[in-house]
Amino acid sequence: MSINIAAFVSGGGTNLQALIDEIEKKNINGKIQLILSNNENAYAIKRGEKHGIESIYIGKKNFSDINERNGKIIEILQEKNIDLIILAGYMSIIDKKLVRLYKNRIINIHPSLIPSFCGKGFYGKKVHEGVLEYGVKVTGATVHFVDEGTDTGPVILQKSVIVKEDDTIDSLSERVLKVEHEILPLAVKYFCEGKIKVEGRKVKIGGLEDETCTH
Ligand code: GAR
């Protein structure tokens, strides 16, 4: 049975694109039924359109009341029988009710090695800014399940990236994004194959064939 996916986006959507590409190559047993954006100008919406994927804008402009906004999101997900939510560069906090409803069925990609450079205030390029300011030598990307905290849920996959002495926010973010585009689709593939088991905070993946990812 194919998994019904909703992708939540806010920006450029390169992670969304990586997912679309792997699904079209039939490497993932799932289908993106819906793209939900909290930014009506997100380029990610255009990417979806090019592949015939329906998108919807739900944000402060059309639902100014937060409870109505969150209620509408749940209503749409249920209407579309969504099994799995992917936060593919979604810059908004997920409602606790939704987290409970989709326990261990919401996957986020974060551009650092969690638990470093994550949590409140660390999103998008701010993460790489923090990495460069601190002077760490290694960073990377993390795919994790979403729980009620910010970037605190069980880790599914991580992959490291070496920080170079002459790195800028842009050069580092470019190399981290490459890694994101590998591990996000891979985690989604494992999820859709039913290979992911969550035991407390620990994620176990049976029959891993890709040894380039640390898990
Ligand atoms: C990605 O680097 C993603 O990890 C990050 O935003 C970028 C979105 O890029 N997400 C977060 O910081 C979430 N806390 P994209 O729109 O090109 O996929």
Side-chain angles (χ1 to χ4, degrees):
M1 198 190 67
S2 170
I3 300 289
N4 289 332
I5 299 170
F8 285 24
V9 299
S10 301
T14 64
N15 277 290
L16 170 71
Q17 189 67 55
L19 272 176
I20 291 173
D21 293 348
E22 289 306 301
I23 289 171
E24 288 189 349
K25 283 189 230 156
K26 305 215 180 308
N27 289 335
I28 295 174
N29 184 24
K31 183 162 190 254
I32 302 176
Q33 300 289 3
L34 178 73
I35 294 169
L36 190 145
S37 178
N38 67 343
N39 167 11
E40 52 193 338
N41 300 315
Y43 185 66
I45 295 176
K46 296 235 157 45
R47 291 184 190 270
E49 272 169 15
K50 285 185 193 159
H51 294 265
I53 304 170
E54 183 189 340
S55 64
I56 181 161
Y57 161 69
I58 298 185
K60 289 182 182 159
K61 284 192 193 154
N62 55 359
F63 289 91
S64 57
D65 180 88
I66 188 159
N67 294 322
E68 273 182 36
R69 190 157 72 233
N70 288 332
K72 185 70 189 172
I73 291 176
I74 291 178
E75 188 188 308
I76 289 172
L77 295 172
Q78 291 184 332
E79 212 176 272
K80 299 263 172 205
N81 288 318
I82 297 300
D83 305 303
L84 172 67
I85 299 168
I86 316 282
L87 308 185
Y90 187 64
M91 305 303 174
S92 182
I93 299 292
I94 298 294
D95 172 37
K96 288 194 176 14
K97 190 172 168 202
L98 179 59
V99 172
R100 281 183 224 121
L101 208 58
Y102 278 84
K103 185 166 194 270
N104 295 332
R105 292 193 296 144
I106 306 178
I107 289 178
N108 182 44
I109 176 81
H110 184 79
S112 76
L113 293 175
I114 288 176
S116 286
F117 306 103
C118 62
K120 220 170 163 238
F122 282 115
Y123 56 88
K125 297 215 168 169
K126 287 188 191 292
V127 176
H128 307 300
E129 197 182 333
V131 162
L132 293 174
E133 265 172 20
Y134 198 97
V136 292
K137 304 292 186 191
V138 180
T139 183
T142 303
V143 186
H144 66 94
F145 283 116
V146 173
D147 67 6
E148 291 185 28
T150 308
D151 301 329
T152 52
V155 170
I156 305 170
L157 291 174
Q158 291 186 301
K159 193 166 179 181
S160 59
V161 170
I162 300 292
V163 182
K164 295 181 182 168
E165 284 183 5
D166 61 351
D167 258 330
T168 60
I169 294 174
D170 285 340
S171 66
L172 186 57
S173 96
E174 195 180 310
R175 291 205 309 292
V176 172
L177 268 175
K178 265 199 188 141
V179 162
E180 294 182 39
H181 301 160
E182 276 177 49
I183 66 174
L184 178 63
L186 191 58
V188 175
K189 170 182 153 74
Y190 291 144
F191 183 96
C192 294
E193 289 169 356
K195 284 187 177 162
I196 297 183
K197 303 264 173 305
V198 187
E199 294 171 12
R201 281 207 53 78
K202 309 261 172 69
V203 170
K204 297 196 172 156
I205 305 170
L208 251 196
E209 66 261 1
D210 189 314
E211 286 167 11
T212 58
C213 284
T214 322
H215 59 280

